[in-house]
Amino acid sequence: IAMDDGIRSRILESLGSSEEDQGYYGPKCRLLSEFLSTDFCCSGKRYQNKDNKSNHDNDKGFNGDKSENSNIDHQMLLNMLDSELQDRVAIFSDHVINNCHNNDVFWKGRVPRNVVEIESEPRILMNDRGAAVPNIAEGSWPMVEGAMILASAGLTRFCLDTIDTQFETAFEAILRRNFYRVEHLNLSWDKADEQMRRCSASVSGYFSPKYREAKFKQHIAELGASLQQ
């Protein structure tokens, strides 16, 4: 993950002229600013508590209009932070989250040399109307700091969603490997859950019993429909 396009370009140049290396590693080298886009860092899953995750498609707000989903994802990044960090970055969140010019935030940002410089740059300014506004001037360290914190939250969200997706894929594979015959249609949930735990306790244990049961019932319903064809 590179801080800006200049650093990313140098990383890609270090790969040499091999088209195979460029094609493989190029897409894997991302910009930190990309994780300020909720379309990118929150696109893998609309992450929720695993107890309720069996009803993804019916959750209010996750299949509505784009602006509503964006607001939910926006708040999701803020909720990744503890209260102290939230207070520190909240005034900049509207400016840096989902801003198409986010790459310039880190490219033009000036890193303070010491604590004195950090504390000397105001976080709040007074505009011409006398209203207090966040210091979003180009290169403003408070804004850059806020963007870095929020991008780190976005990166963490992306990693958590990726892990969640991988476990769900593994769990679905367990369902397919263990329950695929006609006699499995009448298998009780308790026996099925015990069999899945024996198959892979680490994967099945990742999800709540409520979610596992819902996924099992969904799988059995789909199995019954396919066997009737």
Side-chain angles (χ1 to χ4, degrees), residues 1-146:
I1 298 174
M3 285 290 289
D4 55 57
D5 275 324
I7 296 174
R8 183 176 184 274
S9 296
R10 292 184 182 181
I11 293 173
L12 296 181
E13 287 173 3
S14 70
L15 297 175
S17 58
S18 169
E19 291 186 6
E20 182 178 356
D21 287 345
Q22 290 285 345
Y24 180 78
Y25 292 106
K28 298 182 181 344
C29 185
R30 315 303 305 195
L31 294 172
L32 183 60
S33 58
E34 289 183 277
F35 295 94
L36 288 168
S37 168
T38 56
D39 287 338
F40 182 81
C41 70
C42 298
S43 62
K45 285 284 182 189
R46 303 300 185 185
Y47 192 81
Q48 304 169 65
N49 184 294
K50 299 182 188 65
D51 286 343
N52 301 320
K53 203 165 58 171
S54 59
N55 294 314
H56 282 290
D57 297 336
N58 297 324
D59 288 328
K60 182 180 180 181
F62 292 105
N63 287 279
D65 60 55
K66 186 172 182 180
S67 62
E68 185 177 2
N69 287 344
S70 178
N71 290 335
I72 292 172
D73 290 337
H74 182 125
Q75 191 60 42
M76 185 187 297
L77 291 187
L78 287 173
N79 289 344
M80 292 284 293
L81 307 173
D82 60 32
S83 57
E84 182 179 349
L85 287 178
Q86 280 191 30
D87 292 342
R88 195 168 186 82
V89 306
I91 59 175
F92 301 106
S93 62
D94 287 339
H95 182 74
V96 299
I97 294 179
N98 294 330
N99 187 326
C100 62
H101 303 295
N102 272 333
N103 189 40
D104 292 338
V105 172
F106 301 124
W107 175 260
K108 298 178 179 178
R110 183 186 64 83
V111 180
R113 292 173 295 181
N114 50 55
V115 176
V116 174
E117 287 190 3
I118 293 175
E119 295 180 346
S120 65
E121 191 163 1
R123 304 176 62 78
I124 302 292
L125 300 174
M126 300 294 289
N127 64 15
D128 296 338
R129 299 178 180 178
V133 295
N135 182 3
I136 58 174
E138 184 177 290
S140 158
W141 169 247
M143 182 181 64
V144 172
E145 178 192 51

